[in-house]
Every structure is written in C-alpha cells, then in structure tokens.
C-alpha cells in the first residue's frame, strides 16, 4: 500500500511534467520553428551526458543507502559523501560539455547557449531525488517539481516571442531544474538539520568505485537512446533533425509516465530482495510488468489514433506513417529496461547491468552512421528500437540465468 501511495505522489509530481510538453512544445515550435526546437533538443541530448556523469548512479545507489540508513549520523555521512562527489563531477561535466560541442556543427561558436544548457546539468545533478525516494517521501518531490515547473511555464509563455529568443528559452528550461535543487536543499536543511562532514578521500574513492559500473551503464544508455541524434547532425537536414528531436521528446514524455511506477516500487523492491523474500519479490515484479505493459499499449494506440493531429501540431505535417510505426515499436519495448536494471542493482549484480547496456550502446555506436546514411530518419528510429530490444533481452537473460 505504501508504494502505491508513493506512486500516486510521484504521478502528481510528474503530472506537471506531462502538462509541460503539452503546453510548451507546440508553443516553442510555433515561435522558434521546428529547426530551432531541434537545436534545443540536440543541446539537451549533449547535456544528458553531463547529467549522467553528475548523477553517477546515485539515483539508485543513493536511494538504496538512504533507505537502509540506521541512524542520523549515518544519514548525514551518506548525504555529505554524495554532495562532495557530485561537486567534483560537476566540474568534470563542465569541461566535458564545452569540449564536446566544438565537434558538433550546429552548436559551434554558441558558448552562451551551451553554458545556459549546462545550468540544467547543475540543477538535475544536485536535485536530491535519491534522498526523498530513500526516505519514501514522494509527496515532497511533487510539490517542489510543481512550483519550479510553473515558474518555467510562465516565463516561456510571457517572454518567448520568436526565433531570436532561443537562448532565453534554454535559460527558462534550465531554470526549472535549478529551482528544484535549490528548494529541495533548503527544505532538507531546515527540516532535517543534517550536519555536513567532509568525507575522507578513501570514502570518496570507494563511492566512485562502487558507482562506476552504474555510471558506465547509464552512459551507454545515453548512447543507445540519444547518440543517434548527434550522429545525424551531419546527414539529416534541419527539419529532419527537428522531427527526430520531437520524437525523442515524445519518448521522454512516455518515460515520465512510467517512471514514477519504477521509482516508487524500487525502495520496496530493494527491501524485499535484501530480506530474501523471493515470493513477494516476484509477485511485485509481475504486477509492475503488467502495469507497464498496459500503459505502453494504451499509449501506442492513442498515438496511432491521433497521429494526424499530432503530425500537424508538432511536426508541421512533415512526419510519415512509417516513421510513426517505428516510433511505436520503441514505446512498446522502452518500459522494461528500467525495471530490469533496478532488479539487478538491488541484487548487487551491477556487472550484468553494465554488460547489457554495454552491448546495446556498442550496437548503437556501430550502426548509427550506417543506418542513418542508408535509411535517413527511419534509420535513426530503427537504431533506437533495436538497441532498446537488445538491452531488454540481455537483461532478461541474466535474470533468468541467475534465477533472480
């Protein structure tokens, strides 16, 4: 019952994330054009690599540690250690982001927009969702997320007037995550009064070693989820890049629908696995899989039914039916990788998470250029689908083989 209520709280948090694209994406495409929107999505994809570096798997590892903390001192030590590591990784992400953009043509010479985009890395990286999830206080996530997103929505609707406002658009999009992090830490400081204690270098190194496989896995997830967009910048025209960017955002909206289920279930799943309650663990996994499957079917049917309307509203009537069918295949397979990863991590089988994502990322890395060159936009969507499929198949194989 508790994780059901936590799911509801997380859906309240994600409700604004679902309303946000419905309100903002058509507005932005109308104001800054499909091509301008594609540049913003490309920038966000690059920033995702920085966010993945700063997260370093703490959304899973941190949640697990906070959930199983035994005392106030132990909790304060965990929080201090996570913050120190994240500040170190933020510096590295800054260097990584600014070096990488010199090699991506649409962003060359646009340091200002890149810096504004990097602020989103700061906000997401420091947002302590792992803390609230570990303490199973999902309602706080909803309140903080609602307030910060409303500020962004109001800012965009009031101040974005045309294509020249693309930098301001990126600023408002980053502002939301920065406010989330700021409000969260103010709340934690005032309520919990955790005392910061500087961790030893050995503690920091130990944490980096523990999370390294998860970090690599998450980077590889970015490879098979989004790398194809970066590769495509040299082969697709600006309209096609914009269309691919919109497809990626639609996928992200879908992930935001299923995400709260996986996030809310994970603390309970971790406790059941650590307690070796195999029967209850499998029952929870089966129920979660059924819910995820049902949502993916309903979403796909809805997208198919309203394709003409979506095509006009978001794609300026440039999307093709075959592209849409390839996208629906992605929606049907996308939900399961996250749940499989959580089961493996809770069983301390990070190695298997790394292997499944490594080969999926490697597949995307090797095939992206060939598929986009051969099949254009459809090829990009094919790469994403088969990478997701490979990840799910390999993860499932490890679960079955090890009888987890």
């Amino acid at each position: 019952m508790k994780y059901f209520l936590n799911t509801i709280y997380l859906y309240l948090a994600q409700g604004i994330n679902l309303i946000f694209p419905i309100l903002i994406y058509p507005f932005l495409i109308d104001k800054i054009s499909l091509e301008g929107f594609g540049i913003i999505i490309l920038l966000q994809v690059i920033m995702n690599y920085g966010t993945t570096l700063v997260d370093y798997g703490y959304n899973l590892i941190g949640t697990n540690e906070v959930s199983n903390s035994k005392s106030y001192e132990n909790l304060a030590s965990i929080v201090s250690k996570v913050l120190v590591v994240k500040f170190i990784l933020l510096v590295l992400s800054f260097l990584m982001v600014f070096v990488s953009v010199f090699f991506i043509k649409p962003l060359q010479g646009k340091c200002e927009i890149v810096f504004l985009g990097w602020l989103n890395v700061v906000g997401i990286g420091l947002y302590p969702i792992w803390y609230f999830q570990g303490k199973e206080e999902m309602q706080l996530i909803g309140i903080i997320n609602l307030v910060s997103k409303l500020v962004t929505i109001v800012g965009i609707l009031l101040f974005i007037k045309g294509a020249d406002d693309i930098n301001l658009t990126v600023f408002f999009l980053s502002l939301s995550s920065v406010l989330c992090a700021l409000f969260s830490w103010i709340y934690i400081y005032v309520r919990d009064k955790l005392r910061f204690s500087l961790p030893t270098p050995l503690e920091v190194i130990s944490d980096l070693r523990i999370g390294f496989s998860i970090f690599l896995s998450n980077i590889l997830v970015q490879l098979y989820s989004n790398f194809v967009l970066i590769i495509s910048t040299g082969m697709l025209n600006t309209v096609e890049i914009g269309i691919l960017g919109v497809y990626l955002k639609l996928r992200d909206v879908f992930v935001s629908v299923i995400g709260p289920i996986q996030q809310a279930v994970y603390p309970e799943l971790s406790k059941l696995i650590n307690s070796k309650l195999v029967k209850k663990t499998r029952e929870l996994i089966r129920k979660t899989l059924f819910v995820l499957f049902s949502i993916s079917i309903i979403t796909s049917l809805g997208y198919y039914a309203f394709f003409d309307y979506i095509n006009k509203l978001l794609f300026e009537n440039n999307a093709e039916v075959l592209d849409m069918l390839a996208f629906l295949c992605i929606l049907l397979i996308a939900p399961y990788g996250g749940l499989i990863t959580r089961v493996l991590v809770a069983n301390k089988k990070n190695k298997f998470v790394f292997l499944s994502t490594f080969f999926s990322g490697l597949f995307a890395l090797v095939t992206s250029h060939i598929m986009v060159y051969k099949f254009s936009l459809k090829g990009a969507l094919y790469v994403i689908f088969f990478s997701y499929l490979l990840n799910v198949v390999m993860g499932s194989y490890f679960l079955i083989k090890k009888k987890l």
Side-chain angles (χ1 to χ4, degrees):
M1 184 62 182
K2 191 172 184 178
Y3 58 81
F4 174 76
L5 290 176
N6 285 333
T7 303
I8 297 300
Y9 289 134
L10 281 170
Y11 266 117
L12 292 176
Q14 292 290 3
I16 189 65
N17 288 339
L18 296 176
I19 296 171
F20 183 81
I22 294 172
L23 288 176
I24 296 303
Y25 290 170
F27 176 82
L28 287 179
I29 291 170
D30 178 61
K31 294 296 182 181
I32 64 175
S33 78
L34 186 60
E35 293 92 328
F37 187 76
I39 290 175
I40 290 177
I41 302 306
L42 175 62
L43 179 65
Q44 290 180 343
V45 165
I46 295 169
M47 296 308 153
N48 283 344
Y49 288 93
T51 301
T52 302
L53 173 61
V54 179
D55 172 56
Y56 209 76
Y58 277 112
N59 281 355
L60 295 178
I61 297 172
T63 298
N64 198 28
E65 290 187 352
V66 171
S67 177
N68 293 288
S69 62
K70 304 299 182 183
S71 64
Y72 170 88
E73 290 75 16
N74 180 231
L75 181 60
S77 174
I78 293 169
V79 172
S80 300
K81 183 173 54 176
V82 172
L83 280 178
V84 168
V85 173
K86 280 183 173 286
F87 274 112
I88 294 171
L89 295 174
L90 268 176
V91 175
L92 295 177
S93 75
F94 180 84
L95 298 175
M96 181 190 75
V97 165
F98 274 88
V99 168
S100 65
V101 296
F102 288 108
F103 301 98
I104 300 173
K105 188 175 180 180
L107 297 177
Q108 288 175 352
K110 298 180 179 178
C111 292
E112 183 179 350
I113 195 173
V114 172
F115 175 76
L116 293 173
W118 179 75
L119 291 179
N120 194 45
V121 177
V122 175
I124 295 176
L126 295 181
Y127 181 37
I129 189 172
W130 47 272
Y131 184 85
F132 293 131
Q133 286 179 336
K135 293 179 73 68
E136 299 188 57
E137 297 174 341
M138 313 306 185
Q139 68 274 20
L140 297 176
I141 299 174
I143 296 170
I144 292 169
N145 194 46
L146 175 63
V147 173
S148 59
K149 277 292 193 298
L150 284 176
V151 172
T152 295
I153 290 173
V154 171
I156 288 177
L157 293 178
L158 287 180
F159 296 105
I160 306 304
K161 306 298 183 183
D164 293 336
D165 294 325
I166 188 170
N167 285 12
L168 190 58
T169 302
V170 175
F171 167 74
F172 279 120
L173 292 173
S174 297
L175 181 63
S176 173
S177 59
V178 172
L179 289 176
C180 271
L182 183 62
F183 293 155
S184 297
W185 284 113
I186 290 174
Y187 181 86
I188 291 172
Y189 177 79
V190 171
R191 187 196 65 172
D192 294 343
K193 295 180 173 59
L194 295 176
R195 292 184 179 181
F196 180 83
S197 59
L198 192 66
T200 66
L202 285 178
E203 287 177 322
V204 172
I205 293 171
S206 175
D207 245 33
L208 289 172
R209 186 175 63 251
I210 292 171
F212 185 67
S213 61
I214 299 297
F215 160 68
L216 281 182
S217 299
N218 288 338
I219 282 289
L220 291 167
V221 168
Q222 291 298 322
L223 276 180
Y224 72 71
S225 299
N226 297 316
F227 181 72
V228 67
L229 178 61
I230 299 175
I231 288 292
S232 299
T233 57
M235 291 177 283
L236 300 181
N237 61 45
T238 54
V239 172
E240 290 173 323
I241 292 173
I243 292 172
L244 180 56
V246 173
Y247 272 125
L248 293 179
K249 295 312 293 184
L250 287 174
R251 179 205 58 194
D252 293 343
V253 170
F254 174 68
V255 170
S256 74
V257 173
I258 62 174
I261 299 171
Q262 298 173 341
Q263 292 168 1
V265 164
Y266 181 64
E268 180 72 13
L269 186 65
S270 178
K271 289 179 181 178
L272 290 175
I273 290 174
N274 288 332
S275 301
K276 302 187 184 305
L277 299 173
V278 178
K279 186 176 180 180
K280 289 186 176 180
T281 299
R282 291 177 177 174
E283 181 181 357
L284 179 57
I285 292 173
R286 281 196 297 269
K287 289 180 178 179
T288 306
L289 284 173
F290 175 77
V291 172
L292 294 177
F293 176 75
S294 300
I295 292 174
S296 65
I297 290 293
I298 293 171
T299 304
S300 299
L301 291 176
Y303 185 88
Y304 181 80
F306 293 99
F307 172 71
D308 291 337
Y309 176 74
I310 295 172
N311 191 15
K312 180 180 179 181
L313 184 66
L314 297 179
F315 297 102
E316 299 177 346
N317 289 320
N318 287 300
E320 298 179 4
V321 174
L322 288 179
D323 298 336
M324 179 268 295
L325 292 176
F327 176 68
L328 293 188
C329 290
I330 295 172
L331 295 189
L332 290 173
I333 199 67
Y336 312 113
L339 179 62
I340 292 171
T341 295
R342 284 169 169 80
V343 175
L344 289 171
V345 170
N347 278 283
K348 297 179 173 58
K349 301 296 182 182
N350 296 354
K351 175 184 176 182
F352 296 145
V353 175
F354 170 73
L355 287 174
S356 60
T357 50
F358 172 78
F359 284 106
S360 301
L362 182 63
F363 173 83
L365 189 65
V366 171
T367 61
S368 289
H369 189 279
I370 299 171
M371 293 294 285
V372 175
Y373 178 79
K374 185 72 174 177
F375 300 105
S376 190
L377 178 59
K378 297 180 189 61
L381 295 171
Y382 294 155
V383 169
I384 296 172
F385 167 69
F386 283 112
S387 298
Y388 272 118
L389 181 62
L390 180 59
N391 179 255
V392 169
V393 169
M394 289 193 66
S396 301
Y397 170 75
F398 290 135
L399 288 176
I400 295 171
K401 182 179 179 181
K402 297 298 178 180
K403 299 179 180 178
L404 300 178

